[in-house]
Amino acid sequence: MLRRFLGYLERVYHFSSSVDPLKDTRHHPSISTRTVYGCVLLLFVLRLRSLNAFEAHYRWRESKKAWRVFLGQSPPSADTLGYALARFDCESLRREIHRIYTILQRNHLIRQFRVQGWLILSLDGHELFSSYWRCCDQCLSRRIQTAQGERIQYYHRVVVAQLLGGPFALPLDLEPIHPGEDEVSAGIRLMKRLFKHYPKAFDVVSTDGLYGRRGFAQFMVNHSKHLLFVLKENHS
């Protein structure tokens, strides 16, 4: 089944040639960016929960030839993948996502996302991970009451924009929330980029009541988009 899926990616999405423009900031890497991207793609396809799980899964696979053909070389260790991903060029990845969206549009698959004629974009915040021990200059922080008393927890959070209503959620872009700012500020920054690259990809923006500010609403109206607020916990 996996071999057939990899063949489908090559026929429809031209995987081998499309990933060449992807970049990262490593100098003279022995593991190509193409291989790193392919490994992460397979991690999600196989529904593995971590880079370590991916490394263990590959190590015990009986048939590794298809993997090497698809990736261009044998998969690296989990540590190497993590090192490369931390230095990935996000702009080149955004261009690849836009290319995939264009293929779906040309194949008339985007029409499946219409809900009573409307294309709906979901804008929502998502937490990626958290830690009590490790942090970086882009970490957010909060105080948590634990059995050992109050502790500072570090975490990363992003705003994700994706099309809803189709057979699957189609992500278009995301934006990290920086220290000292709220989700709405990051959401506006994300929407500005979407209006530039996906001006006709959606008609309605669905988000929660947190975005119910005059500035954000006027920003959507100025771009001729409708707003749908989802109120949580029966708040009105």
Side-chain angles (χ1 to χ4, degrees), residues 4-15 41 45 70:
R4 291 173 59 189
F5 175 76
L6 298 181
Y8 171 80
L9 286 182
E10 191 62 42
R11 290 193 309 274
V12 178
Y13 297 99
H14 315 293
F15 177 85
L41 177 61
V45 169
F70 177 71

Side-chain angles (χ1 to χ4, degrees), residues 28-59:
H28 311 296
S30 58
I31 303 298
S32 68
T33 307
R34 174 186 188 276
T35 299
V36 172
Y37 176 76
C39 287
V40 176
L41 177 61
L42 286 174
L43 184 148
F44 281 95
V45 169
L46 298 171
R47 297 187 178 184
L48 302 174
R49 299 180 64 86
S50 67
L51 298 178
N52 288 325
F54 177 79
E55 181 181 358
H57 183 85
Y58 170 76
R59 185 178 301 165

Side-chain angles (χ1 to χ4, degrees), residues 47-233:
R47 297 187 178 184
L48 302 174
R49 299 180 64 86
S50 67
L51 298 178
N52 288 325
F54 177 79
E55 181 181 358
H57 183 85
Y58 170 76
R59 185 178 301 165
W60 295 106
R61 292 290 295 181
E62 295 180 359
S63 177
K64 299 182 179 180
K65 183 177 180 180
W67 291 59
R68 288 194 294 268
V69 171
F70 177 71
L71 298 173
Q73 58 189 130
S74 296
S77 66
D79 289 341
T80 300
L81 283 176
Y83 181 85
L85 289 172
R87 291 155 180 79
F88 216 91
D89 177 52
C90 293
E91 288 305 318
S92 65
L93 184 57
R94 288 188 175 104
R95 288 191 292 270
E96 172 63 8
I97 294 174
H98 190 276
R99 188 191 70 85
I100 294 174
Y101 169 84
T102 302
I103 292 176
L104 293 174
Q105 190 177 47
R106 289 174 180 172
N107 291 342
H108 306 291
L109 294 175
I110 296 299
R111 66 178 61 173
Q112 298 182 20
F113 287 83
R114 290 192 175 274
V115 179
Q116 297 184 356
W118 301 90
L119 287 170
I120 302 176
L121 181 83
S122 169
L123 192 68
D124 198 11
H126 295 268
E127 185 173 321
L128 301 180
F129 45 80
S130 62
S131 173
Y132 289 109
W133 306 102
R134 302 183 65 178
C135 67
C136 68
D137 57 358
Q138 292 301 309
C139 275
L140 308 176
S141 63
R142 59 195 171 200
R143 296 184 178 274
I144 303 293
Q145 290 292 340
T146 69
Q148 292 77 35
E150 186 179 79
R151 300 182 63 184
I152 297 178
Q153 187 181 66
Y154 304 98
Y155 65 102
H156 279 234
R157 189 171 174 84
V158 297
V159 182
V160 179
Q162 54 188 351
L163 288 180
L164 304 180
F168 53 88
L170 178 61
L172 299 182
D173 203 346
L174 61 82
E175 179 68 21
I177 301 174
H178 300 309
E181 70 174 3
D182 59 8
E183 182 180 320
V184 178
S185 299
I188 292 176
R189 192 163 59 246
L190 173 59
M191 291 306 303
K192 288 180 179 179
R193 194 162 58 239
L194 288 174
F195 285 137
K196 179 180 179 181
H197 298 293
Y198 299 91
K200 299 181 179 180
F202 55 96
D203 310 301
V204 180
V205 177
S206 173
T207 186
D208 58 40
L210 178 67
Y211 289 81
R213 302 178 183 176
R214 181 176 178 83
F216 183 82
Q218 189 61 49
F219 180 58
M220 295 295 107
V221 171
N222 292 342
H223 288 85
S224 302
K225 303 299 181 183
H226 298 277
L227 264 174
L228 176 63
F229 291 115
V230 179
L231 302 181
K232 299 179 180 179
E233 299 179 358

